[in-house]
Amino acid sequence: MTIGEFARASRLSARALRRYDELGLLPPARVDAYTGYRYYAGAQVERARLVAWLRRIGMPLARILDVCALHGTDPGAAARAVRAHWARVEAETAERRDLAASLLDRLGGTTEMTTEMDTETTADTATGTATAVRPHALLAAALSERGRVRETNQDRAHAGPRLLAVADGYGAAGDLAATAALAALADVEEGGAPGGRAGDLLNALEDAVRRADAAVGAAAPGSGTTLTAGVWTGSRLALAHVGDGRAYLLRDGDLVRLTRDHTAVQARVDAGELDPAEAAAHPDRALLLRALDGAGDGPAPDPGLHEGRPGDRWLLCTDGLSAVVPEAELRAALASGAGPEDTARALLALADGRGGPDNASCVVADVLPADAPRTD
């Protein structure tokens, strides 16, 4: 097939085919020694179409080369690589959407990026009045236990009117590290009224995490901690996450994980080198890639902004719970109908029932129904 015929069959341009030849991704079957004209075999069409499809989902060329190599020898591994790429795309898209909503909020524009983004006021076009919705409240409980194996408890958990946080310290002074990290968030809980600009809150939360990193370095040199923290605005939960703690949302019976572990094993899952089942049993699953330890400029936390509705239930926990209790059991405990404190005790009992191999901490918070709307 000439390059023109092959381009039409594969839906790739001749320019793209020449570029893929240079990269070794899709070399022609034969190149005329005198004219340099490229000829392709019909059997290459399938590979070319695969390249075209992978490019359409935004996969980098270097990664496409790996997937194409796997496709011929291990189709299952190739499929896992595609799933891992798309999971990253979805996570990055969600993060960009949340940050775009924050920018719109900062600039004074609408934050209705999706149908789930709620507004602080609603307008009645017939009367010209604006109806303000009273902020929802949280009913929250925090619980932390040493477990059966550890000699001390280096976890810390906090549940306040606005601030929810868990920290998992490590090293000789891990308890001091976790304590210092939570103490550095006090200004975020005390400053500003619920319902303020989400962009300002995310910025303040990120700044607080950087202060927490410095505080950990001063209070516990050589030690460190993870941190997963959320600040409630009255309608949204702003999250900042570093490490392998986790945040979940239970809504209408479905449990959704809101954070991504900053571990070496999770990075291999994202790259398609491990599947989740293998990762759960991997000996290096607790090896952190990001934590608060006072070194350098401090890690950038993963931000998040999540709309809350009456009936929602948030869970923040350290890996002493999430690493040993399957998500199906977490969901069942959260959906049991018990209050936050009883639910927190039930969750930690599940970890204890599996031998309590680590300190375990959790925060359970319920979004309460708002008062009746009022007209200002």
Side-chain angles (χ1 to χ4, degrees):
M1 300 173 69
T2 66
I3 190 170
E5 292 169 337
F6 191 72
R8 287 190 292 274
S10 63
R11 305 296 176 87
L12 292 169
S13 68
R15 179 179 179 181
L17 289 172
R18 286 191 288 270
R19 173 62 173 158
Y20 297 160
D21 178 16
E22 293 170 359
L23 295 173
L25 181 61
L26 198 61
R30 182 173 68 85
V31 178
D32 189 283
Y34 297 100
T35 65
Y37 211 76
R38 296 172 172 83
Y39 293 90
Y40 293 83
Q44 291 182 279
V45 171
E46 181 181 0
R47 180 184 176 98
R49 286 176 175 168
L50 176 60
V51 171
W53 292 331
L54 293 174
R55 287 298 289 159
R56 288 184 66 183
I57 65 172
M59 183 174 285
L61 290 174
R63 194 64 180 134
I64 290 176
L65 188 61
D66 295 338
V67 171
C68 288
L70 288 170
H71 180 62
T73 59
D74 189 348
R80 288 194 295 274
V82 173
R83 283 197 297 270
H85 166 76
W86 192 246
R88 286 194 297 274
V89 170
E90 289 184 322
E92 291 167 1
T93 300
E95 182 176 321
R96 287 195 296 269
R97 181 202 64 211
D98 291 343
L99 291 177
S102 300
L103 285 171
L104 288 173
D105 196 10
R106 172 181 285 274
L107 295 171
T110 176
T111 57
E112 290 185 353
M113 299 296 292
T114 70
T115 57
E116 292 187 352
M117 299 293 288
D118 69 4
T119 57
E120 300 300 327
T121 61
T122 57
D124 187 331
T125 55
T127 65
T129 59
T131 301
V133 179
R134 295 182 185 275
H136 306 310
L138 286 184
L139 179 64
L143 192 62
S144 182
E145 293 187 353
R146 179 170 58 88
R148 299 189 182 188
V149 176
R150 304 291 188 185
E151 294 183 358
T152 61
N153 188 356
Q154 296 186 316
D155 276 10
R156 296 293 183 267
H158 173 85
R162 296 186 65 206
L163 176 65
L164 314 174
V166 292
D168 180 359
Y170 62 86
D175 54 338
L176 298 179
T179 299
L182 294 195
L185 300 180
D187 289 346
V188 179
E189 180 161 36
E190 296 169 1
R197 290 183 182 273
D200 293 341
L201 179 58
L202 284 171
N203 289 341
L205 189 52
E206 182 174 352
D207 289 344
V209 172
R210 294 190 183 280
R211 291 196 301 272
D213 183 68
V216 168
S223 296
T225 185
T226 67
L227 178 66
T228 302
V231 177
W232 178 242
T233 70
S235 63
R236 302 182 186 123
L237 187 72
L239 279 175
H241 168 68
V242 177
D244 60 357
R246 290 186 180 177
Y248 295 90
L249 169 63
L250 180 76
R251 173 176 290 170
D252 299 329
D254 294 326
L255 186 65
V256 179
R257 180 174 154 192
L258 305 177
T259 54
R260 174 183 170 276
D261 295 346
H262 298 141
T263 61
V265 167
Q266 181 64 52
R268 293 184 64 187
V269 172
D270 293 344
E273 297 173 5
L274 294 174
D275 62 36
E278 292 172 324
H282 198 281
D284 294 333
R285 64 182 179 275
L287 182 60
L288 295 171
L289 296 180
R290 206 185 302 181
L292 305 184
D293 58 10
D297 295 330
D302 285 351
L305 187 64
H306 304 278
E307 170 260 352
R309 303 173 184 170
D312 284 350
R313 171 166 276 186
W314 309 96
L315 168 66
L316 276 61
C317 64
T318 60
D319 71 325
L321 176 63
S322 59
V324 297
V325 179
E327 286 192 2
E329 295 186 31
L330 295 179
R331 190 205 67 80
L334 290 166
S336 67
E341 184 172 350
D342 287 342
T343 300
R345 294 190 184 283
L347 287 167
L348 296 194
L350 290 173
D352 185 73
R354 285 175 167 75
D358 196 0
N359 306 150
S361 300
C362 66
V363 173
V364 178
D366 292 343
V367 180
L368 303 181
D371 294 338
R374 56 183 174 84
T375 300
D376 294 336

PDB file of all heavy atoms in Angstrom, residues 45-68:
ATOM      1  N   VAL A  45      -2.401  -2.165   9.233  1.00  0.00           N
ATOM      2  CA  VAL A  45      -3.549  -1.277   9.431  1.00  0.00           C
ATOM      3  C   VAL A  45      -4.072  -1.364  10.859  1.00  0.00           C
ATOM      4  O   VAL A  45      -4.403  -0.343  11.485  1.00  0.00           O
ATOM      5  CB  VAL A  45      -4.659  -1.587   8.416  1.00  0.00           C
ATOM      6  CG1 VAL A  45      -5.935  -0.816   8.756  1.00  0.00           C
ATOM      7  CG2 VAL A  45      -4.201  -1.253   7.002  1.00  0.00           C
ATOM      8  N   GLU A  46      -4.147  -2.573  11.405  1.00  0.00           N
ATOM      9  CA  GLU A  46      -4.679  -2.729  12.767  1.00  0.00           C
ATOM     10  C   GLU A  46      -3.830  -1.951  13.770  1.00  0.00           C
ATOM     11  O   GLU A  46      -4.363  -1.246  14.643  1.00  0.00           O
ATOM     12  CB  GLU A  46      -4.718  -4.202  13.163  1.00  0.00           C
ATOM     13  CG  GLU A  46      -5.297  -4.415  14.573  1.00  0.00           C
ATOM     14  CD  GLU A  46      -5.309  -5.877  14.983  1.00  0.00           C
ATOM     15  OE1 GLU A  46      -4.876  -6.730  14.189  1.00  0.00           O
ATOM     16  OE2 GLU A  46      -5.754  -6.155  16.129  1.00  0.00           O
ATOM     17  N   ARG A  47      -2.499  -2.054  13.657  1.00  0.00           N
ATOM     18  CA  ARG A  47      -1.628  -1.327  14.569  1.00  0.00           C
ATOM     19  C   ARG A  47      -1.792   0.185  14.379  1.00  0.00           C
ATOM     20  O   ARG A  47      -1.830   0.950  15.355  1.00  0.00           O
ATOM     21  CB  ARG A  47      -0.168  -1.722  14.346  1.00  0.00           C
ATOM     22  CG  ARG A  47       0.823  -1.004  15.280  1.00  0.00           C
ATOM     23  CD  ARG A  47       2.253  -1.386  14.937  1.00  0.00           C
ATOM     24  NE  ARG A  47       3.239  -0.653  15.733  1.00  0.00           N
ATOM     25  CZ  ARG A  47       3.834  -1.124  16.823  1.00  0.00           C
ATOM     26  NH1 ARG A  47       3.528  -2.335  17.265  1.00  0.00           N
ATOM     27  NH2 ARG A  47       4.729  -0.398  17.468  1.00  0.00           N
ATOM     28  N   ALA A  48      -1.916   0.618  13.124  1.00  0.00           N
ATOM     29  CA  ALA A  48      -2.085   2.046  12.855  1.00  0.00           C
ATOM     30  C   ALA A  48      -3.382   2.569  13.443  1.00  0.00           C
ATOM     31  O   ALA A  48      -3.428   3.674  14.005  1.00  0.00           O
ATOM     32  CB  ALA A  48      -2.049   2.292  11.348  1.00  0.00           C
ATOM     33  N   ARG A  49      -4.450   1.791  13.338  1.00  0.00           N
ATOM     34  CA  ARG A  49      -5.724   2.213  13.923  1.00  0.00           C
ATOM     35  C   ARG A  49      -5.630   2.286  15.445  1.00  0.00           C
ATOM     36  O   ARG A  49      -6.213   3.179  16.070  1.00  0.00           O
ATOM     37  CB  ARG A  49      -6.833   1.261  13.487  1.00  0.00           C
ATOM     38  CG  ARG A  49      -7.238   1.456  12.027  1.00  0.00           C
ATOM     39  CD  ARG A  49      -8.262   0.435  11.586  1.00  0.00           C
ATOM     40  NE  ARG A  49      -8.712   0.710  10.221  1.00  0.00           N
ATOM     41  CZ  ARG A  49      -9.427  -0.153   9.492  1.00  0.00           C
ATOM     42  NH1 ARG A  49      -9.755  -1.332  10.007  1.00  0.00           N
ATOM     43  NH2 ARG A  49      -9.814   0.171   8.276  1.00  0.00           N
ATOM     44  N   LEU A  50      -4.899   1.342  16.037  1.00  0.00           N
ATOM     45  CA  LEU A  50      -4.706   1.377  17.487  1.00  0.00           C
ATOM     46  C   LEU A  50      -3.979   2.659  17.883  1.00  0.00           C
ATOM     47  O   LEU A  50      -4.366   3.330  18.855  1.00  0.00           O
ATOM     48  CB  LEU A  50      -3.905   0.152  17.935  1.00  0.00           C
ATOM     49  CG  LEU A  50      -3.534   0.096  19.426  1.00  0.00           C
ATOM     50  CD1 LEU A  50      -4.778   0.087  20.300  1.00  0.00           C
ATOM     51  CD2 LEU A  50      -2.655  -1.125  19.711  1.00  0.00           C
ATOM     52  N   VAL A  51      -2.952   3.014  17.122  1.00  0.00           N
ATOM     53  CA  VAL A  51      -2.225   4.253  17.399  1.00  0.00           C
ATOM     54  C   VAL A  51      -3.167   5.454  17.296  1.00  0.00           C
ATOM     55  O   VAL A  51      -3.166   6.351  18.145  1.00  0.00           O
ATOM     56  CB  VAL A  51      -1.037   4.414  16.434  1.00  0.00           C
ATOM     57  CG1 VAL A  51      -0.408   5.807  16.579  1.00  0.00           C
ATOM     58  CG2 VAL A  51       0.006   3.334  16.676  1.00  0.00           C
ATOM     59  N   ALA A  52      -3.998   5.469  16.257  1.00  0.00           N
ATOM     60  CA  ALA A  52      -4.924   6.588  16.073  1.00  0.00           C
ATOM     61  C   ALA A  52      -5.903   6.692  17.232  1.00  0.00           C
ATOM     62  O   ALA A  52      -6.176   7.797  17.724  1.00  0.00           O
ATOM     63  CB  ALA A  52      -5.678   6.411  14.748  1.00  0.00           C
ATOM     64  N   TRP A  53      -6.426   5.576  17.688  1.00  0.00           N
ATOM     65  CA  TRP A  53      -7.384   5.598  18.804  1.00  0.00           C
ATOM     66  C   TRP A  53      -6.699   6.073  20.084  1.00  0.00           C
ATOM     67  O   TRP A  53      -7.275   6.839  20.857  1.00  0.00           O
ATOM     68  CB  TRP A  53      -7.981   4.214  19.008  1.00  0.00           C
ATOM     69  CG  TRP A  53      -8.864   3.770  17.879  1.00  0.00           C
ATOM     70  CD1 TRP A  53      -9.608   4.562  17.035  1.00  0.00           C
ATOM     71  CD2 TRP A  53      -9.075   2.425  17.450  1.00  0.00           C
ATOM     72  NE1 TRP A  53     -10.266   3.788  16.114  1.00  0.00           N
ATOM     73  CE2 TRP A  53      -9.976   2.475  16.344  1.00  0.00           C
ATOM     74  CE3 TRP A  53      -8.617   1.180  17.865  1.00  0.00           C
ATOM     75  CZ2 TRP A  53     -10.405   1.336  15.680  1.00  0.00           C
ATOM     76  CZ3 TRP A  53      -9.052   0.040  17.215  1.00  0.00           C
ATOM     77  CH2 TRP A  53      -9.933   0.118  16.127  1.00  0.00           C
ATOM     78  N   LEU A  54      -5.479   5.590  20.329  1.00  0.00           N
ATOM     79  CA  LEU A  54      -4.768   6.003  21.537  1.00  0.00           C
ATOM     80  C   LEU A  54      -4.441   7.489  21.507  1.00  0.00           C
ATOM     81  O   LEU A  54      -4.477   8.161  22.546  1.00  0.00           O
ATOM     82  CB  LEU A  54      -3.490   5.170  21.701  1.00  0.00           C
ATOM     83  CG  LEU A  54      -3.705   3.675  21.995  1.00  0.00           C
ATOM     84  CD1 LEU A  54      -2.384   2.938  21.981  1.00  0.00           C
ATOM     85  CD2 LEU A  54      -4.414   3.473  23.325  1.00  0.00           C
ATOM     86  N   ARG A  55      -4.123   8.013  20.320  1.00  0.00           N
ATOM     87  CA  ARG A  55      -3.878   9.444  20.221  1.00  0.00           C
ATOM     88  C   ARG A  55      -5.145  10.241  20.498  1.00  0.00           C
ATOM     89  O   ARG A  55      -5.101  11.329  21.083  1.00  0.00           O
ATOM     90  CB  ARG A  55      -3.344   9.797  18.826  1.00  0.00           C
ATOM     91  CG  ARG A  55      -1.925   9.372  18.572  1.00  0.00           C
ATOM     92  CD  ARG A  55      -0.953  10.049  19.531  1.00  0.00           C
ATOM     93  NE  ARG A  55      -0.787  11.470  19.250  1.00  0.00           N
ATOM     94  CZ  ARG A  55      -0.341  12.364  20.122  1.00  0.00           C
ATOM     95  NH1 ARG A  55      -0.053  11.987  21.353  1.00  0.00           N
ATOM     96  NH2 ARG A  55      -0.201  13.624  19.781  1.00  0.00           N
ATOM     97  N   ARG A  56      -6.283   9.707  20.100  1.00  0.00           N
ATOM     98  CA  ARG A  56      -7.548  10.421  20.307  1.00  0.00           C
ATOM     99  C   ARG A  56      -7.901  10.533  21.781  1.00  0.00           C
ATOM    100  O   ARG A  56      -8.627  11.454  22.171  1.00  0.00           O
ATOM    101  CB  ARG A  56      -8.684   9.722  19.547  1.00  0.00           C
ATOM    102  CG  ARG A  56      -8.603   9.900  18.042  1.00  0.00           C
ATOM    103  CD  ARG A  56      -9.791   9.282  17.344  1.00  0.00           C
ATOM    104  NE  ARG A  56     -11.037   9.975  17.683  1.00  0.00           N
ATOM    105  CZ  ARG A  56     -12.233   9.595  17.245  1.00  0.00           C
ATOM    106  NH1 ARG A  56     -12.343   8.520  16.466  1.00  0.00           N
ATOM    107  NH2 ARG A  56     -13.307  10.264  17.573  1.00  0.00           N
ATOM    108  N   ILE A  57      -7.402   9.619  22.624  1.00  0.00           N
ATOM    109  CA  ILE A  57      -7.664   9.746  24.062  1.00  0.00           C
ATOM    110  C   ILE A  57      -6.515  10.466  24.766  1.00  0.00           C
ATOM    111  O   ILE A  57      -6.454  10.504  25.994  1.00  0.00           O
ATOM    112  CB  ILE A  57      -7.923   8.376  24.731  1.00  0.00           C
ATOM    113  CG1 ILE A  57      -6.686   7.475  24.691  1.00  0.00           C
ATOM    114  CG2 ILE A  57      -9.114   7.688  24.097  1.00  0.00           C
ATOM    115  CD1 ILE A  57      -6.840   6.196  25.515  1.00  0.00           C
ATOM    116  N   GLY A  58      -5.602  11.045  23.969  1.00  0.00           N
ATOM    117  CA  GLY A  58      -4.571  11.896  24.540  1.00  0.00           C
ATOM    118  C   GLY A  58      -3.376  11.186  25.123  1.00  0.00           C
ATOM    119  O   GLY A  58      -2.623  11.772  25.898  1.00  0.00           O
ATOM    120  N   MET A  59      -3.136   9.928  24.746  1.00  0.00           N
ATOM    121  CA  MET A  59      -1.995   9.202  25.295  1.00  0.00           C
ATOM    122  C   MET A  59      -0.695   9.709  24.661  1.00  0.00           C
ATOM    123  O   MET A  59      -0.610   9.870  23.446  1.00  0.00           O
ATOM    124  CB  MET A  59      -2.145   7.700  25.060  1.00  0.00           C
ATOM    125  CG  MET A  59      -1.021   6.872  25.662  1.00  0.00           C
ATOM    126  SD  MET A  59      -1.301   5.072  25.527  1.00  0.00           S
ATOM    127  CE  MET A  59      -2.543   4.818  26.801  1.00  0.00           C
ATOM    128  N   PRO A  60       0.341   9.957  25.474  1.00  0.00           N
ATOM    129  CA  PRO A  60       1.630  10.397  24.919  1.00  0.00           C
ATOM    130  C   PRO A  60       2.227   9.343  23.999  1.00  0.00           C
ATOM    131  O   PRO A  60       2.015   8.142  24.179  1.00  0.00           O
ATOM    132  CB  PRO A  60       2.494  10.591  26.173  1.00  0.00           C
ATOM    133  CG  PRO A  60       1.532  10.732  27.307  1.00  0.00           C
ATOM    134  CD  PRO A  60       0.346   9.905  26.947  1.00  0.00           C
ATOM    135  N   LEU A  61       3.015   9.803  23.021  1.00  0.00           N
ATOM    136  CA  LEU A  61       3.573   8.880  22.029  1.00  0.00           C
ATOM    137  C   LEU A  61       4.466   7.826  22.667  1.00  0.00           C
ATOM    138  O   LEU A  61       4.457   6.656  22.249  1.00  0.00           O
ATOM    139  CB  LEU A  61       4.352   9.667  20.981  1.00  0.00           C
ATOM    140  CG  LEU A  61       3.504  10.521  20.029  1.00  0.00           C
ATOM    141  CD1 LEU A  61       4.399  11.362  19.136  1.00  0.00           C
ATOM    142  CD2 LEU A  61       2.597   9.627  19.190  1.00  0.00           C
ATOM    143  N   ALA A  62       5.248   8.214  23.670  1.00  0.00           N
ATOM    144  CA  ALA A  62       6.139   7.239  24.308  1.00  0.00           C
ATOM    145  C   ALA A  62       5.326   6.129  24.955  1.00  0.00           C
ATOM    146  O   ALA A  62       5.719   4.950  24.914  1.00  0.00           O
ATOM    147  CB  ALA A  62       7.018   7.929  25.342  1.00  0.00           C
ATOM    148  N   ARG A  63       4.186   6.494  25.550  1.00  0.00           N
ATOM    149  CA  ARG A  63       3.347   5.477  26.191  1.00  0.00           C
ATOM    150  C   ARG A  63       2.643   4.620  25.141  1.00  0.00           C
ATOM    151  O   ARG A  63       2.436   3.425  25.342  1.00  0.00           O
ATOM    152  CB  ARG A  63       2.321   6.163  27.098  1.00  0.00           C
ATOM    153  CG  ARG A  63       1.630   5.198  28.061  1.00  0.00           C
ATOM    154  CD  ARG A  63       2.634   4.615  29.023  1.00  0.00           C
ATOM    155  NE  ARG A  63       2.004   3.677  29.952  1.00  0.00           N
ATOM    156  CZ  ARG A  63       2.499   2.496  30.243  1.00  0.00           C
ATOM    157  NH1 ARG A  63       3.613   2.082  29.660  1.00  0.00           N
ATOM    158  NH2 ARG A  63       1.907   1.714  31.119  1.00  0.00           N
ATOM    159  N   ILE A  64       2.280   5.220  23.996  1.00  0.00           N
ATOM    160  CA  ILE A  64       1.656   4.457  22.925  1.00  0.00           C
ATOM    161  C   ILE A  64       2.603   3.375  22.421  1.00  0.00           C
ATOM    162  O   ILE A  64       2.190   2.245  22.118  1.00  0.00           O
ATOM    163  CB  ILE A  64       1.236   5.393  21.775  1.00  0.00           C
ATOM    164  CG1 ILE A  64       0.059   6.262  22.216  1.00  0.00           C
ATOM    165  CG2 ILE A  64       0.868   4.598  20.528  1.00  0.00           C
ATOM    166  CD1 ILE A  64      -0.360   7.291  21.182  1.00  0.00           C
ATOM    167  N   LEU A  65       3.886   3.707  22.326  1.00  0.00           N
ATOM    168  CA  LEU A  65       4.880   2.726  21.893  1.00  0.00           C
ATOM    169  C   LEU A  65       4.879   1.518  22.828  1.00  0.00           C
ATOM    170  O   LEU A  65       4.918   0.363  22.379  1.00  0.00           O
ATOM    171  CB  LEU A  65       6.265   3.377  21.860  1.00  0.00           C
ATOM    172  CG  LEU A  65       7.406   2.563  21.261  1.00  0.00           C
ATOM    173  CD1 LEU A  65       7.124   2.236  19.806  1.00  0.00           C
ATOM    174  CD2 LEU A  65       8.719   3.317  21.384  1.00  0.00           C
ATOM    175  N   ASP A  66       4.788   1.769  24.144  1.00  0.00           N
ATOM    176  CA  ASP A  66       4.747   0.676  25.117  1.00  0.00           C
ATOM    177  C   ASP A  66       3.476  -0.157  24.963  1.00  0.00           C
ATOM    178  O   ASP A  66       3.516  -1.391  24.999  1.00  0.00           O
ATOM    179  CB  ASP A  66       4.813   1.236  26.545  1.00  0.00           C
ATOM    180  CG  ASP A  66       6.133   1.913  26.844  1.00  0.00           C
ATOM    181  OD1 ASP A  66       7.122   1.610  26.152  1.00  0.00           O
ATOM    182  OD2 ASP A  66       6.172   2.748  27.763  1.00  0.00           O
ATOM    183  N   VAL A  67       2.331   0.532  24.782  1.00  0.00           N
ATOM    184  CA  VAL A  67       1.056  -0.186  24.655  1.00  0.00           C
ATOM    185  C   VAL A  67       1.045  -1.047  23.400  1.00  0.00           C
ATOM    186  O   VAL A  67       0.587  -2.196  23.426  1.00  0.00           O
ATOM    187  CB  VAL A  67      -0.119   0.811  24.643  1.00  0.00           C
ATOM    188  CG1 VAL A  67      -1.430   0.097  24.297  1.00  0.00           C
ATOM    189  CG2 VAL A  67      -0.249   1.496  25.994  1.00  0.00           C
ATOM    190  N   CYS A  68       1.555  -0.515  22.300  1.00  0.00           N
ATOM    191  CA  CYS A  68       1.591  -1.295  21.058  1.00  0.00           C
ATOM    192  C   CYS A  68       2.483  -2.527  21.201  1.00  0.00           C
ATOM    193  O   CYS A  68       2.163  -3.602  20.679  1.00  0.00           O
ATOM    194  CB  CYS A  68       2.078  -0.423  19.907  1.00  0.00           C
ATOM    195  SG  CYS A  68       0.876   0.810  19.360  1.00  0.00           S
TER     196      CYS A  68
END
